[in-house]
Amino acid sequence: MSSGAGLPPEAMREILPEFMQESLDWMAQAEAALLELEHDPGDIEAVNVVLRAFHTVKGTSAFLGLDAVSGLAHDAESLLIPVRDGGAPFTRAHADLLLAATDATRVLLGHARERVMHGKAAGTSDEYQALRSGLRAAAEHDPTATRDQRGGTSDAGADDVGTAPDRSGGASGAGGQDVVPGHAQARGVDGEWTRVRTRRLDQLLDLVGELVVAQSMVAQDESVVRERHGPLAGKVLQTSRIVRELQSLSLGLRMIPLRPLFQRMQRLVRELSQQSGKQVRLVTEGADTEIDRRMVEALADPLVHMVRNAIDHGIERPDERVAGGKPPEATLRLAAAHAGGAVVLELQEDGRGLDRERILSIAKERGLVADGDTLSDAEVWRLIFAPGLSTAERVTDLSGRGVGMDVVLRSIEALRGRIEIESATGTGTTFTIRLPLTTAITDGLLVRVGAERYILPSLHVISSFRPREDAVVAAATIGGESRGEMVIVQERPVPIVRLHEHFGVADAQVDPARAVLVVMEDGPRRFALLVDELLGQQQFVAKPLTSGLRVPAGISGSAILGDGRVGLILDPAEIAPAARATDPAPLTARSAR
C-alpha cells in the first residue's frame, strides 16, 4: 500500500481541491495536444506533452492510492511510448483511445471527490474496463512496446474507486511533488503562480467596487469641491488614482484566457464531424484573449449551440462541397480579440450561407412576419433567434428542433452583449459577438431624465445629438403599423423612445429640440432615446436588483452613483421593442412641446 494511504480524512478533504485542479489541468493539456497530433502526427513535442500529463497524474494518484486512475494513466503511457521513440506512427485510433482516457480520468477524479467530500461511493464501470482493455490491446499490437511498459499496475486499476479506503479519495500538491520531482515548481511554488479560491477573488472585487463608490462620494462631497485647489482636494485626487489602479488590478485577477473554451470547441468539432460525416477543421485565433472568468463559463453553452448549428445547417457534405467547387474539408474559424474596451468573438464557416427565402417563409408560417413586411438582410438573419424557428428539413441528433439559437441570444444579452450576423449564399456565415470585458464593472453613459438618472451601456451607444426643430416627425401609419415618432439619422429613419413616458418620469423635457437624442443599437435594430441631459461617461459597479421588487421592462440592474444616489442600468434588448410598440397621439415636430 502506498504511503498516501496514511493521510487522515481531514487532510484529504483540505487538499483535494488542489489535487483535482492540477490533474484536470494536465488532462486539458493532454486533450489539446492530442487534437494537435491529429493534424500533425509527427509533432513529438505534442507527444511529450501528453506523456507528461499522464505520467504526472499516474505518479501522484499511485502515491495517494488512486489505483483506478494510476492504472488507466499507465496504460495510456504505454500506448504512447512507442510513438515517442519512433517505433510506431500516431494514428486516429491512438487519438480516439487517448481522448477517451482523458474523459475517463476526469470521471474517476470526480468519483474520488464525491467519495471524500460527500461520502458517496461510486465504482468503475464496464466502459472503464473496456477502455483499459482497448489501450492494452493497442499496445500489444505494437512490437516495440515492452512487456514492462504494458504490465505494471494493470489489475490494480480495476479496483472500485468508490468503495476503496480513504486513500482513494484525495491527494495533495505535496504528495505529487515527492513522486514527480519538479512538478510543483513548474506549477508555481517558486512564487510565479499561486492558486486562490475564486470565492475570495469575487469578495475582493466586490469590496474594491464598494471602495470605488465610497471614493467617488468623497470626491464629490461639497467640502472637497469647494476647496478644489486646496490640500484636501490634492489628497483626494491622489487617492482616486490609487483606487483606479487597485480596481484595474483586481479586475485583472478575475480575467482568464479563452484558450480552455477554445480547446473544448476543438474537441466538440472533432466529435460532431465524425457524427455528421462531414469534414470540418476548426481554426482558432486569439485564444489568449482574456475575459472575466464568469463570462467564460456563461459563454460555453451558447458557443456549443452555435458550433452545432454551423456544422449541421451551414456546412455541406464533402460531395456537395466538391460539386460546388470547394475543398471537401470545411473551415470553421473561431477568433477573439479586444476592441474598444470590449471583447469581440467571431464564429465563421465557409458553408452554404443562410437561406433568406426559407427563413422568411417559415417566419411567415409562424406569424413572426406579415406578408407585406419588407425586411433587410440583417432583420431576416435576426429571425433565426426566434423561439421554435428552425430551417432544418429533418430532426437530427445535432439540431432541427427549433431550440438553441434563441438560447444563444438570451445568453449573450444576459452578459450585456450583442450578436450580429453576416451571410452570403454559397460563401458562408459569420456570427460576431461583442461583450464587455466583465459584468462586474459597467462602462456606461450617465443621462438625466427629469430628476432621475439612468445608465446606458456604452457597448450599445452609437451617437448622441440635439435634433433640429424639424428633424423629428410623426410616423403614425408606416406600413399600416403605428411607429410613433421618427428621426432621420444618416438618411435612415430611427424610431424614438421617450424615456420619461416609458418610465413615467415627471418634469422631464418634452421638446426634442431642447433635449438630447442618444442613438442606441441592439443587433440590427437602432432606436433613439429622448433624454434631458448627458452627464458623462463613467465606469459603474453593477449590482443586481433585489428579488421581489417590481422592475419595469427595460431595467437590468443598478449602480451607486458618486453622490450616493442609485442609477438604473437600462437593458437595450427590452427597450428596443418599445420603439415599435409606442403609439402616442399623432405629433408634429413642434406640437411635442
Side-chain angles (χ1 to χ4, degrees), residues 472-474 485 586-593:
V472 177
V473 297
E485 293 174 289
L587 296 170
T588 65
R590 299 302 298 164
S591 65
R593 299 190 216 177

Side-chain angles (χ1 to χ4, degrees), residues 305-318:
H305 282 304
M306 293 171 68
V307 169
R308 294 176 73 94
N309 275 274
I311 293 177
D312 196 30
H313 291 301
I315 292 174
E316 314 96 328
R317 294 192 306 272

Side-chain angles (χ1 to χ4, degrees), residues 396-582:
T396 68
D397 290 336
L398 300 187
S399 62
R401 294 175 172 84
V403 296
M405 294 308 289
D406 60 318
V407 175
V408 169
L409 182 62
R410 288 200 303 271
S411 300
I412 299 303
E413 289 178 343
L415 295 172
R416 303 194 189 103
R418 56 187 173 138
I419 184 168
E420 301 166 357
I421 305 173
E422 293 181 7
S423 186
T425 303
T427 302
T429 303
T430 300
F431 292 87
T432 303
I433 299 173
R434 300 181 188 275
L435 296 165
L437 290 175
T438 176
T439 55
I441 303 294
T442 296
D443 239 347
L445 178 66
L446 185 64
V447 301
R448 180 179 64 83
V449 179
E452 304 297 328
R453 285 181 255 173
Y454 299 96
I455 299 166
L456 314 181
S458 296
L459 202 61
H460 296 266
V461 175
I462 303 301
S463 62
S464 61
F465 63 97
R466 175 163 289 169
R468 300 189 311 270
E469 291 189 358
D470 59 347
V472 177
V473 297
T477 56
I478 296 180
E481 179 184 358
S482 174
R483 300 291 181 96
E485 293 174 289
M486 311 285 281
V487 62
I488 303 300
V489 179
Q490 296 177 346
E491 300 181 356
R492 174 181 174 183
V494 175
I496 295 174
V497 176
R498 291 173 171 257
L499 279 186
H500 68 277
E501 292 181 354
H502 188 79
F503 293 120
V505 178
D507 301 324
Q509 179 60 253
V510 297
D511 183 357
R514 296 182 179 179
V516 178
L517 288 175
V518 181
V519 180
M520 305 281 290
E521 184 176 54
D522 177 57
R525 297 172 292 186
R526 286 192 177 187
F527 55 94
L529 299 180
L530 184 70
V531 302
D532 292 13
E533 183 184 5
L534 304 183
L535 300 179
Q537 189 155 341
Q538 303 175 32
Q539 285 191 331
F540 304 92
V541 181
K543 297 288 185 182
L545 294 170
T546 305
S547 58
L549 290 177
R550 288 187 60 190
V551 180
I555 301 297
S556 64
S558 62
I560 305 298
L561 305 178
D563 59 1
R565 297 176 61 185
V566 175
L568 297 176
I569 302 172
L570 298 190
D571 183 352
E574 291 190 2
I575 293 287
R580 299 177 73 99
T582 301

Side-chain angles (χ1 to χ4, degrees), residues 72 83 361 440 491:
L72 179 62
V83 177
S361 175
E491 300 181 356

